[in-house]
Amino acid sequence: MVLKQNTDTKIIYEAVYNLLEEANTNLPDCVYKNLSTKNYNGKENILKNAYLAQNTKRPLCQDTGQVVIFLEVGQDVIFSGKYIEDEINRAVSDCYKDKFYRKSMVEDAIFNRENRGDNTPAIIHTKIIKGDEINILLGIKGGGSENMTTLKMFNPTTEFEEIIAFAKECAINAGENACPPMCIGIGAGGCAETAALLAKKALFDGAVLDIEMPSTFETRILTAPTHIASLPVCINLSCHSLRHASAKISGGKIIYKSDIVKYKDVETKINAREIYTDDVESLNSLQNGEEILLSGVIFTARDAAHKRMAEIIEANEILPFDLANKIIFYAGPCPAKDGEIIGPVGPTTSKRMDKFAPLLYNKGIIATIGKGDRTIKGLNKLYFKAQGGIACVLQKCVKKCELVCFEDLGAEAVYRLEIEKMPLRAVWI
């Protein structure tokens, strides 16, 4: 009889904690090589951002996302210590607090969207495998790309080319909302929830397809058996950061499967005129599509803050700050650590604020800053597009940060920022 050694679950805590830092601060080598050899819009900023994140140990993106874990446990493993999921969530909570990452998880999807304050719970998918080893595949999914997920139930006689056309359509519809160049994950088979799970895992561990897609650097796929009458297909997109890391636990030791390289600094130059936020005449003279460097005072406000401001306005109450001639930045930064003015910061998807935009423009704001296209048209108002996924680059543009209101909203509180030469593109909506 062979005596099996107990595996204390504290080793799961250690592995997850370290993988979280790796995934949040290091661009995978496969992405870095692709970006270095191909031409994409804004690629210099992406490479610069990767350099800054790695060298400052700060996150690639301010949206440090939902933690998704694929946990494979050998059936011969004998655990001791605390409950595995508790140890995983303790690692998430501790790492996100220790490293000053943004906490984005709310208590309940519908009835209580109060921020939980520690980014738990992680989304954990557990599978029992043969043997006595443990495999951990960890991914970080931001809201912008995750919200572009699409599921479709195809007919079983559908040709593969039709599925690729569907994936292409999803990528085009996502546009700048998913921070291109994207990675496309295709999951096919099982039932609806199986396809969604496969699509998520395909991003980090799928077979690479030799096809060209618009605004993407790679397309990956995972498939599974399915019913004779079914062909469920899900498309899950990742931003260019493709944040993931993995490790194996064997014989009581953690073996990290890193493909990290040392990044080089990149010089970024933008030939654009500098505009100041208090120069209303110059702001109103901007041409559609014109690139600028914006300096002056702006205010952050995203989903929850917009909802609260709208409620205050509709109740005929006084807002905590005057909106007249202000510029609103749709952003929720990471917490600042010692020595920082602000944590990594970047734009969130603008169209989520579109139902509030007419009200706030009518209250006097002169422009908004965000990511992606708008659904609203005909307002004849100024909107600035900011590049997504370059939070460390945009962090350097902020010279002063002060809390204004709604501190209880956590990452969605309103801040007054003084910025210098923030690269933006003007759009009239």
Side-chain angles (χ1 to χ4, degrees):
M1 179 179 178
V2 178
L3 294 177
K4 294 184 172 66
Q5 183 179 0
N6 283 355
T7 298
D8 194 316
T9 55
K10 66 183 181 182
I11 199 170
I12 304 286
Y13 170 94
E14 179 185 350
V16 170
Y17 188 103
N18 292 332
L19 291 173
L20 285 167
E21 183 174 22
E22 178 185 332
N24 269 307
T25 59
N26 287 282
L27 198 68
D29 188 35
C30 62
V31 180
Y32 190 80
K33 288 179 179 177
N34 187 288
L35 291 172
S36 299
T37 57
K38 295 187 178 181
N39 290 322
Y40 298 106
N41 289 334
K43 85 167 192 175
E44 291 80 9
N45 280 331
I46 297 172
L47 294 174
K48 177 75 170 183
N49 193 68
Y51 170 82
L52 290 172
Q54 186 180 72
N55 283 272
T56 61
K57 295 295 183 183
R58 297 298 275 139
L60 292 153
C61 179
Q62 79 285 342
D63 185 355
T64 44
Q66 287 181 306
V67 178
V68 182
I69 291 178
F70 295 91
L71 181 68
E72 295 181 341
V73 180
Q75 68 174 7
D76 295 332
V77 175
I78 299 175
F79 285 111
S80 63
K82 297 179 181 178
Y83 177 48
I84 295 175
E85 292 199 2
D86 286 347
E87 287 296 86
I88 289 173
N89 284 312
R90 186 168 70 91
V92 173
S93 179
D94 287 353
C95 184
Y96 272 62
K97 289 177 181 177
D98 294 348
K99 305 298 181 182
F100 295 86
Y101 296 160
R102 198 180 84 183
K103 294 83 175 174
S104 301
M105 297 294 286
V106 297
E107 187 64 37
D108 181 88
I110 297 175
F111 301 108
N112 179 11
R113 294 191 65 90
E114 182 179 351
N115 196 298
R116 289 176 57 85
D118 65 356
N119 217 60
T120 67
I123 311 300
I124 305 170
H125 305 290
T126 305
K127 180 180 179 181
I128 304 300
I129 60 174
K130 296 178 181 179
D132 60 359
E133 295 180 342
I134 303 165
N135 295 312
I136 303 172
L137 173 60
L138 180 149
I140 306 294
K141 278 309 301 289
S145 61
E146 186 67 9
N147 288 346
M148 298 296 107
T149 304
T150 307
L151 174 71
K152 183 174 181 178
M153 307 302 287
F154 282 90
N155 289 326
T157 54
T158 299
E159 299 292 338
F160 182 62
E161 289 74 18
E162 295 177 64
I163 294 172
I164 295 303
F166 171 56
K168 180 178 180 179
E169 179 185 0
C170 291
I172 292 172
N173 289 339
E176 296 175 18
N177 297 318
C179 297
M182 299 168 278
C183 180
I184 299 178
I186 303 176
C191 44
E193 68 269 25
T194 311
L197 188 60
L198 289 170
K200 178 67 64 61
K201 191 176 182 184
L203 290 172
F204 313 122
D205 196 33
V208 178
L209 295 174
D210 185 19
I211 57 175
E212 293 289 331
M213 287 282 197
S215 301
T216 67
F217 66 85
E218 208 161 70
T219 300
R220 301 179 176 184
I221 189 169
L222 285 175
T223 63
T226 193
H227 191 279
I228 58 173
S230 298
L231 178 46
V233 176
C234 184
I235 307 299
N236 195 287
L237 304 177
S238 172
C239 65
H240 55 251
S241 292
L242 191 62
R243 295 167 291 177
H244 69 287
S246 59
K248 177 174 70 175
I249 298 174
S250 180
K253 296 181 179 179
I254 305 171
I255 304 166
Y256 296 100
K257 304 175 183 178
S258 303
D259 62 350
I260 300 171
V261 295
K262 192 69 176 176
Y263 306 140
K264 297 178 181 178
D265 197 3
V266 177
E267 185 177 358
T268 57
K269 289 183 178 180
I270 299 178
N271 295 320
R273 63 168 167 153
E274 187 173 356
I275 298 288
Y276 292 87
T277 57
D278 59 357
D279 187 351
V280 177
E281 183 177 350
S282 293
L283 288 170
N284 288 331
S285 71
L286 289 172
Q287 300 299 306
N288 210 41
E290 185 176 353
E291 292 189 354
I292 68 160
L293 297 172
L294 186 66
S295 298
V297 174
I298 62 175
F299 292 79
T300 69
R302 45 174 293 152
D303 308 70
H306 273 72
K307 184 174 185 293
R308 188 169 292 183
M309 286 192 291
E311 291 170 348
I312 292 171
I313 292 170
E314 289 165 1
N316 292 319
E317 297 176 356
I318 299 174
L319 287 166
F321 69 105
D322 184 12
L323 295 178
N325 292 326
K326 301 297 192 303
I327 295 178
I328 301 296
F329 183 20
Y330 302 146
C334 283
K337 60 188 295 188
D338 289 345
E340 289 184 331
I341 296 170
I342 194 172
V345 61
T348 194
T349 304
S350 298
K351 67 179 182 180
R352 296 200 312 273
M353 266 55 70
D354 282 357
K355 66 179 180 179
F356 303 110
L359 174 65
L360 297 190
Y361 275 117
N362 287 338
K363 285 294 180 179
I365 64 170
I366 54 174
T368 55
I369 304 170
K371 179 180 69 174
D373 293 325
R374 312 299 296 260
T375 60
I376 49 175
K377 304 292 180 184
L379 296 182
N380 194 31
K381 298 295 184 180
L382 190 57
Y383 163 56
F384 292 113
K385 283 188 177 184
Q387 184 176 350
I390 57 167
C392 290
V393 171
L394 296 181
Q395 177 189 21
K396 299 292 184 184
C397 298
V398 180
K399 305 306 177 183
K400 189 174 182 179
C401 174
E402 297 175 346
L403 176 69
V404 174
C405 58
F406 308 153
E407 185 176 9
D408 61 298
L409 296 181
E412 299 190 85
V414 173
Y415 291 91
R416 177 186 183 276
L417 308 183
E418 293 183 15
I419 61 170
E420 185 176 291
K421 298 183 179 180
M422 180 178 283
L424 302 169
R425 186 167 76 254
V427 178
W428 289 92
I429 56 174

